[in-house]
Amino acid sequence: AARRTRPPPVLERISSSAMELLASLRAKASAGYAGATGHLKEHIAGAKLAVSKLAERITTRIAGAFEAAQSAKQAALEYAAATHLLALKLKTDVQSKGVKVCAQDLSVFALQFARETVASTKLQAGETIEAARAKALANIELTRQRAGEAKERSVGKAKQLYTSTGELVSQKSFQ
């Protein structure tokens, strides 16, 4: 029978200290892992929130672009339908009235449109000229006011200079 001997007390203390150190390291590693996991979860939650906000903005922009495209499509369809109806009406008019009468009607319409365009342009030009005239008059008045103020300052400075010169002459303090 083999007899078991106890290790020396120094080895027992070293072994005990090593076991305590190992247990301490395991506890610290476990706590570090838990802390890192919690920190990582916070970053993941923040990233998910940022992605969610970005996705919402992108979705909103896409929806806006889609609505604009739908609106443009609708306007184009309405314009095409109106053009089609106009072409059908013109075709019917040509068939019923003849080309000569339709051409005369079209020339009357074109002349009326040209007159209205000229009148509108004259009105806009008149308004533009009137606005420019009013602005010029306002600038002239402002310039007059500033010139008057400058004149008043100059007269005041001249009077001060005249008074100062008179005092110097009376005191005979110049040579």
Side-chain angles (χ1 to χ4, degrees):
R3 211 169 150 222
R4 225 172 141 185
T5 58
R6 270 189 101 164
V10 170
L11 284 177
E12 282 184 359
R13 280 190 301 231
I14 291 174
S15 177
S16 174
S17 292
M19 294 303 262
E20 288 174 11
L21 181 62
L22 183 61
S24 172
L25 287 174
R26 282 183 182 159
K28 286 181 181 178
S30 178
Y33 175 76
T37 303
H39 191 64
L40 184 61
K41 286 179 181 178
E42 289 174 12
H43 281 294
I44 289 172
K48 284 181 179 179
L49 181 62
V51 167
S52 173
K53 287 180 180 179
L54 180 63
E56 183 180 330
R57 281 189 255 154
I58 290 172
T59 303
T60 302
R61 286 186 182 174
I62 289 172
F66 180 75
E67 288 176 14
Q70 288 295 92
S71 176
K73 178 182 174 184
Q74 185 62 32
L77 289 174
E78 289 172 4
Y79 179 75
T83 304
H84 180 72
L85 288 176
L86 183 62
L88 289 177
K89 184 179 182 316
L90 183 61
K91 179 182 174 187
T92 305
D93 286 350
V94 168
Q95 287 174 345
S96 65
K97 296 179 184 177
V99 174
K100 186 176 182 180
V101 173
C102 284
Q104 288 173 346
D105 289 348
L106 187 58
S107 69
V108 168
F109 172 76
L111 182 61
Q112 181 183 357
F113 180 76
R115 286 181 181 152
E116 289 174 0
T117 302
V118 167
S120 174
T121 304
K122 282 182 181 179
L123 181 64
Q124 287 177 346
E127 289 173 354
T128 302
I129 289 170
E130 189 60 36
R133 182 175 178 267
K135 185 176 179 180
L137 289 174
N139 286 339
I140 288 170
E141 185 59 36
L142 180 63
T143 303
R144 282 182 184 161
Q145 181 183 357
R146 287 183 180 167
E149 291 170 358
K151 177 186 170 188
E152 289 174 12
R153 284 193 303 269
S154 296
V155 168
K157 289 291 182 183
K159 287 180 181 178
Q160 284 178 349
L161 185 59
Y162 181 77
T163 304
S164 296
T165 305
E167 289 174 3
L168 284 175
V169 169
S170 67
Q171 294 173 3
K172 295 183 184 182
S173 55
F174 64 92
Q175 296 192 355

